[in-house]
Amino acid sequence: MTGATEQWSSRAAFVAAAVGSAVGLGNFWRFSYVAGENGGGAFVIVYILAAFFLIAPILLAEFVIGRRGGGGVLTAPANVARESGRPSAWVAIGWLGILAAAIIPAFYIVVAGWVLAYIGVAASGALAGISGEAADALFSSLLADPVQVLIYQNAFLAMTFAVVAAGVHAGLERVNLILVPTLFLALVGLGIYAASVGDQAAAIDFLFRPDWSELTAQGVLAAIGQGFFSISVGMGAMMTFGAYAPRSFPLPSSVAMIVVADTLVALLAGLAIFPIVFGHGLDPASGPGLMFVTLPVALGALDAATLVATIFFVLLFFAALTSAISLMEVPVAVMCERGFVRWQAAALVSGVYAGLGILCALSFSTFANVHPLGFIPTFEGRTWFDIFDFIGTNILLPLGGILIAALVGWGMVAGLATREADFGDGWLGVLWLWLLRTLCPVAVGAVLIVNLVPA
Ligand code: TRP
């Protein structure tokens, strides 16, 4: 029996799991700080274009490989390639995915740990009426305490382990079907509220009025990387979820729902965070801590600050949990296929995450001045945390995405891909195939080359 024999019990469960994977810290924490570092508007426009024209087609291709090939990331691409008479070297997609699935969680659990810590902070009442400066000091004091940070991130990891170990039905489905709709309702409320307390005009200006002179080649790569990260594409997480989808689930409309939902959440999060940045004179380019300094101020200004802030961080924590589940599921599905007992596979993978997570956690204290790859210009001044994030998000995901696009666009026998993607003979299928064959590999490839190959 292989992992591929497990199936979602409903289409809603499939879409909720995929949306749960996509909507996470990437939309709140990462989108806001990367948009802030890259000057806002122009970055946001490139991000939106990339999400719909580069990432969405590749997401559909991932689902197609997963459902057609079946099994984990080392099985599905190889099966799809073999069926169309292509070499088994396409399994490289799976190995890249496994590498990314080791690297991305190492920093993801750190940020999720911060969120967990803030649930307690919020519940204690410490955020009520907090000023920008006090919020900054509070966050710095958390970072300066590595023991506390490590406890929180490993507590988060333990909960992720528990869900993944429970399996697809008892674990992934149950958690996603409850949490995903709840999160949405809460977010709409927060967006409406933030509009009323901060500098909404400055935020809209920053997010939507492009200043193209702010956009660098690095910024374009950052926007594309953020697209892959936020929609969970390029690593095989969606491929693994696609393998649990029966033939009867329509894929294109699922992709549309996932991409629209994820993009909306990112923009709503931006509209909740940036009014506070500008309303309180904070620096939008201040880095990974941005959300942890702004949101407390936003939430703390409320009448019912303690209650609302606590609820919000709890929801954020669950959003992170449903994403982390999908990260861990990639190596676990591969191991289950190879005869591991599910909980033991999940335990081993958790061990790896815990170990690598230490390097990322300490990047804000003990190792703050350690720049392990400082001799390479691209990595100058970057800590372990920064390096894991950069390699995972800006290199491995786009690279995986190019290969996924190529396998479905060029590798699969003509007609098979569009049929498996439920397109029939319509023009949408033709457009999709064209995007996979040309625009996706060329655009993503060019951006990677410009950024990574020394001139
Ligand atoms: N998309 C998630 C977020 O925005 C993170 C994530 C979950 C992810 N699974 C993934 C990123 C797979 C890349 C690949 O928080």
Side-chain angles (χ1 to χ4, degrees):
M1 192 168 111
T2 70
T5 58
E6 291 193 79
Q7 290 214 326
W8 302 113
S9 44
S10 67
R11 181 169 183 233
F14 166 59
V15 175
V19 172
S21 168
V23 175
L25 298 173
N27 304 62
F28 295 85
W29 157 74
R30 205 175 184 288
F31 176 77
S32 56
Y33 103 75
V34 179
E37 281 183 340
N38 287 285
F43 170 92
V44 173
I45 288 178
V46 175
Y47 171 78
I48 293 174
L49 289 175
F52 284 92
F53 294 104
L54 300 177
I55 321 289
I58 301 178
L59 170 58
L60 182 53
E62 261 203 43
F63 281 150
V64 163
I65 295 175
R67 188 167 73 178
R68 183 83 197 171
V73 292
L74 293 183
T75 308
N79 282 348
V80 167
R82 188 174 327 105
E83 182 186 31
S84 291
R86 305 292 177 183
S88 55
W90 284 102
V91 73
I93 292 174
W95 288 111
L96 266 180
I98 288 181
L99 188 60
I103 287 179
I104 292 176
F107 66 87
Y108 204 83
I109 61 169
V110 174
V111 183
W114 298 344
V115 171
L116 203 51
Y118 266 72
I119 295 177
V121 172
S124 75
L127 300 186
I130 196 167
S131 69
E133 273 157 45
D136 198 19
L138 184 69
F139 184 58
S140 302
S141 71
L142 171 68
L143 294 187
D145 186 350
V147 175
Q148 207 190 345
V149 169
L150 284 170
I151 290 174
Y152 281 116
Q153 76 193 43
N154 285 300
F156 175 81
L157 184 57
M159 291 182 249
T160 309
F161 160 80
V163 178
V164 174
V168 172
H169 297 293
L172 280 59
E173 283 193 353
R174 193 179 295 171
V175 166
N176 282 303
L177 273 172
I178 298 170
L179 296 180
V180 170
T182 315
L183 184 73
F184 262 92
L185 289 179
L187 191 64
V188 172
L190 188 79
I192 293 171
Y193 159 71
S196 66
V197 297
D199 191 341
Q200 181 77 357
I204 290 180
D205 205 50
F206 180 77
L207 281 173
F208 298 114
R209 197 183 47 76
D211 174 357
W212 296 104
S213 68
E214 289 265 0
L215 196 68
T216 58
Q218 274 272 341
V220 175
L221 176 62
I224 291 179
Q226 173 63 21
F228 278 103
F229 185 92
S230 189
I231 307 174
S232 301
V233 173
M235 192 190 98
M238 294 299 196
M239 192 184 295
T240 305
F241 280 6
Y244 304 145
R247 193 69 199 77
S248 59
F249 293 178
L251 296 180
S253 56
S254 308
V255 165
M257 283 190 261
I258 296 158
V259 176
V260 168
D262 189 78
T263 307
L264 272 180
V265 174
L267 296 177
L268 275 176
L271 286 174
I273 290 170
F274 283 104
I276 309 301
V277 172
F278 296 111
H280 288 75
L282 300 166
D283 174 13
S286 61
L290 186 66
M291 180 186 90
F292 291 89
V293 177
T294 51
L295 272 184
V297 177
L299 299 163
L302 279 169
D303 288 337
T306 298
L307 179 68
V308 179
T310 308
I311 294 175
F312 184 77
F313 278 104
V314 168
L315 291 171
L316 205 53
F317 158 75
F318 285 128
L321 183 66
T322 55
S323 298
I325 291 168
S326 76
L327 288 162
M328 191 186 283
E329 182 67 18
V330 169
V332 167
V334 167
M335 290 166 79
C336 286
E337 244 183 342
R338 281 163 175 63
F340 274 84
V341 176
R342 187 171 249 278
W343 77 264
Q344 289 172 350
L348 270 173
V349 173
S350 299
V352 174
Y353 291 174
L356 293 175
I358 296 175
L359 290 176
C360 295
L362 300 187
S363 294
F364 298 89
S365 48
T366 322
F367 296 162
N369 294 312
V370 177
H371 306 137
L373 299 180
F375 53 92
I376 306 171
T378 313
F379 294 106
E380 235 176 78
R382 291 188 195 261
T383 61
W384 280 112
F385 183 100
D386 301 331
I387 291 172
F388 275 62
D389 188 353
F390 189 89
I391 293 181
T393 308
N394 288 358
I395 300 181
L396 294 179
L397 295 181
L399 214 53
I402 291 174
L403 292 179
I404 289 163
L407 174 56
V408 174
W410 295 104
M412 282 176 87
V413 167
L416 182 60
T418 35
R419 217 176 322 124
E420 183 64 34
D422 314 312
F423 270 129
D425 303 321
W427 62 273
L428 257 178
V430 176
L431 174 66
W432 173 62
L433 215 55
W434 179 80
L435 288 171
L436 287 182
R437 287 182 172 177
T438 55
L439 190 71
C440 295
V442 171
V444 180
V447 173
L448 272 179
I449 289 170
V450 167
N451 275 282
L452 302 178
V453 178

